């Protein structure tokens, strides 16, 4: 394993994975804070702060930030998720010091100019509108909100027009001071990078990051239920799911394998049965989202209104069948897919830097790829069947839909078909 790890006195972790045959490096700063850490009046601030980080510092204007990185052929970007925020760059090896300098500058010296802030609020409001206008994005937001109602983990990452419009420079500075602490940040790099040189650069530019402990996020409570949004569309977007497993659970990889067997590729059960055999939809797949303390297992499909009545029983039948019928051939195929995806990601410095940084935030250490492969290989067909049964009986279903929903069964009816835990009367009611 070529990974090296160093921790500065302020808690900042520097991790590198040298790939000496490359001429470029991917590097970034990952912060262990995302949308689920937000208070109700802060909804969307993690994402908005990510936007504002590029809008000017004490040393560079927004234009200078863009021009400096692009003048060396580099790329600079950022992303916000439920539990993490990342600021990252891709540059040639000679320009790694410049990338560290810019990343440090935008995180430690941003000025949050009022004019830039107002302009970026307008940009994010357009992004919120675009997500609402995109049915396959909208159904995901509704699904998450219904699975975890009235909780930060169930809220959309983008925020609302009301909350985003209310952010000012002081709110951003308070959030930054509260959450952007050395102990919850990782500077990760992969590719043509020298570990000792990066550590020295980090000491110079990031050594003054404040220490402290990030406030803990609210413990999640999965509930499930039924939500649908009637729209005049050609197709209805459908998501059906159950409570999954957390990253820290011992059977996280089993849940991932179940998703792969059910709907992880063109050879998967759902693709073959729903699309190839019956022609009920263009896209259908299963997924498992893991978080630090919980997870979501689900299926997404889109079909015309007249096909909904045939589609839903097929989806439910395949989910239920997985609880007692998984064969070695399809399991081995799914394992091969997961192993290949893991190993192929190691060839991408950007994927590798992201992977090891998230591992440190989650587990406190980078995981050896052989350790992960061994956990994948250890999953048996019996484990997958048991997982499917546990998921079905362990939580009420979450059913979300956007489009012409008149023919769509309720979450209560879906639970009854597969013998799942029934949602309460309040949960089963439609949320229009």
């Amino acid at each position: 394993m070529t990974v090296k790890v160093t921790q500065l006195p302020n808690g900042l972790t520097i991790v590198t994975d040298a790939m000496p045959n490359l001429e470029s490096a991917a590097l970034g700063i990952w912060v262990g804070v995302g949308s689920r850490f937000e208070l109700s009046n802060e909804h969307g601030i993690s994402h908005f702060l990510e936007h504002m980080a590029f809008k000017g510092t004490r040393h560079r204007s927004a234009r200078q930030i863009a021009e400096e990185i692009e003048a060396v052929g580099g790329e600079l970007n950022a992303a916000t998720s439920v539990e993490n925020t990342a600021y990252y760059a891709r540059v040639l090896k000679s320009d790694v010091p410049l990338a560290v300098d810019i990343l440090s500058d935008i995180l430690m010296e941003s000025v949050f100019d009022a004019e830039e802030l107002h302009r970026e609020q307008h940009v994010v409001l357009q992004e919120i509108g675009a997500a609402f206008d995109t049915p396959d994005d909208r159904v995901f937001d509704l699904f998450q909100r219904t699975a975890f109602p009235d909780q930060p983990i169930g809220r959309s990452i983008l925020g609302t027009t009301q909350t985003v419009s209310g952010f000012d420079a002081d709110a951003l500075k308070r959030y930054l001071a509260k959450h952007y602490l050395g102990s919850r940040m990782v500077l990760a790099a992969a590719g043509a990078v020298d570990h000792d040189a990066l550590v020295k650069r980090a000491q110079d530019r990031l050594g003054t990051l404040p220490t402290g402990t990030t406030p803990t996020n609210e413990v999640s409570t999965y509930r499930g239920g039924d939500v649908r949004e009637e729209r005049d569309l050609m197709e209805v977007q459908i998501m059906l799911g159950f409570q999954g497993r957390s990253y820290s659970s011992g059977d996280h990889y089993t849940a991932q394998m179940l998703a792969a067997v059910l709907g992880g590729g063109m050879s998967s059960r759902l693709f073959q049965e729903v699309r190839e055999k019956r022609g009920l939809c263009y896209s259908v797949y299963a997924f498992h989202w893991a978080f630090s303390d919980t997870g979501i297992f689900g299926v997404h499909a889109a079909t015309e209104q007249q096909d909904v009545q045939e589609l839903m029983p097929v989806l439910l039948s395949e989910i239920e069948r997985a609880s007692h019928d998984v064969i070695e051939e399809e399991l081995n195929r799914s394992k091969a897919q997961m192993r290949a995806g893991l190993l192929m990601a190691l060839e991408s410095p950007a994927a590798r830097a992201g992977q090891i940084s998230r591992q440190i935030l989650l587990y406190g250490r980078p995981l050896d790829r052989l350790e992960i492969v061994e956990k994948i290989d250890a999953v048996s067909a019996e484990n997958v069947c048991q997982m499917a049964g546990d998921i079905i009986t362990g939580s009420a279903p979450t059913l979300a839909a956007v489009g012409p929903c008149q023919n769509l069964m309720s979450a209560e009816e879906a639970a009854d078909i597969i013998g799942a835990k029934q949602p309460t009367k309040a949960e089963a009611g439609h949320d229009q």
Side-chain angles (χ1 to χ4, degrees), residues 139-197:
V139 75
F140 273 86
D141 283 343
L142 293 174
F143 178 79
Q144 188 84 353
R145 187 183 78 190
T146 306
F148 299 100
D150 304 316
Q151 301 168 67
I153 195 173
R155 297 197 292 246
S156 69
I157 291 171
L158 298 181
T160 68
T161 54
Q162 291 78 18
T163 56
V164 172
S165 298
F167 296 150
D168 57 20
D170 287 340
L172 294 176
K173 290 174 182 176
R174 286 194 299 270
Y175 194 77
L176 193 70
K178 182 179 179 182
H179 294 285
Y180 280 55
L181 308 173
S183 59
R184 292 298 295 159
M185 298 173 71
V186 176
L187 170 60
V193 61
D194 179 86
H195 182 81
D196 293 337

Side-chain angles (χ1 to χ4, degrees), residues 138-412:
R138 177 64 176 164
V139 75
F140 273 86
D141 283 343
L142 293 174
F143 178 79
Q144 188 84 353
R145 187 183 78 190
T146 306
F148 299 100
D150 304 316
Q151 301 168 67
I153 195 173
R155 297 197 292 246
S156 69
I157 291 171
L158 298 181
T160 68
T161 54
Q162 291 78 18
T163 56
V164 172
S165 298
F167 296 150
D168 57 20
D170 287 340
L172 294 176
K173 290 174 182 176
R174 286 194 299 270
Y175 194 77
L176 193 70
K178 182 179 179 182
H179 294 285
Y180 280 55
L181 308 173
S183 59
R184 292 298 295 159
M185 298 173 71
V186 176
L187 170 60
V193 61
D194 179 86
H195 182 81
D196 293 337
L198 188 65
V199 170
K200 185 178 186 307
R201 195 75 180 177
Q203 287 173 327
D204 293 340
R205 297 295 286 114
L206 297 164
T208 57
L209 273 170
T211 59
T213 303
T214 301
T216 56
N217 53 268
E218 180 181 312
V219 176
S220 62
T221 302
Y222 174 93
R223 294 204 182 102
D226 193 317
V227 59
R228 52 198 65 199
E229 194 169 85
E230 287 283 347
R231 293 196 188 184
D232 184 14
L233 302 172
M234 291 292 293
E235 291 188 321
V236 55
Q237 298 281 336
I238 302 167
M239 291 191 66
L240 172 68
F242 304 85
Q243 185 172 20
R245 298 295 183 265
S246 71
Y247 279 116
S248 58
S249 68
D251 50 6
H252 160 60
Y253 289 101
T254 306
Q256 296 289 101
M257 196 68 65
L258 173 61
V261 168
L262 266 176
M266 290 190 297
S267 64
S268 68
R269 292 182 171 192
L270 288 175
F271 192 93
Q272 286 296 312
E273 186 67 24
V274 175
R275 173 173 165 161
E276 297 297 278
K277 181 178 177 180
R278 300 173 185 262
L280 292 175
C281 62
Y282 172 73
S283 173
V284 59
Y285 59 89
F287 60 90
H288 181 253
W289 300 336
F291 303 107
S292 58
D293 63 340
T294 188
I296 286 284
F297 180 88
V299 171
H300 173 266
T303 192
E304 294 182 345
Q305 182 180 358
Q306 62 266 29
D307 290 327
V308 170
Q309 288 179 313
E310 183 180 353
L311 171 66
M312 284 301 294
V314 177
L315 296 181
L316 293 166
S317 174
E318 291 300 327
I319 294 172
E320 191 279 331
R321 187 164 70 90
S323 67
H324 57 80
D325 177 23
V326 173
I327 62 174
E328 290 296 329
E329 181 181 357
E330 61 183 340
L331 180 63
N332 290 336
R333 201 162 50 233
S334 296
K335 287 181 177 181
Q337 285 180 304
M338 292 183 68
R339 283 193 299 266
L342 171 68
L343 297 176
M344 288 177 183
L346 298 179
E347 299 178 1
S348 163
R352 186 60 180 143
Q355 185 184 73
I356 56 179
S357 60
R358 287 188 292 269
Q359 288 170 351
I360 288 177
L361 289 173
L362 282 168
Y363 307 115
R365 64 182 180 90
L367 303 183
D368 188 285
R369 62 180 179 272
L370 294 179
E371 178 183 352
I372 300 174
V373 169
E374 287 175 358
K375 290 181 178 179
I376 292 171
D377 288 342
V379 176
S380 68
E382 291 76 16
N383 295 149
V384 176
C385 290
Q386 182 67 47
M387 174 61 66
D390 289 348
I391 283 176
I392 291 171
T393 59
S395 63
T398 299
L399 181 59
V402 175
C405 306
Q406 294 89 340
N407 294 337
L408 181 63
M409 68 177 62
S410 68
E412 189 173 24

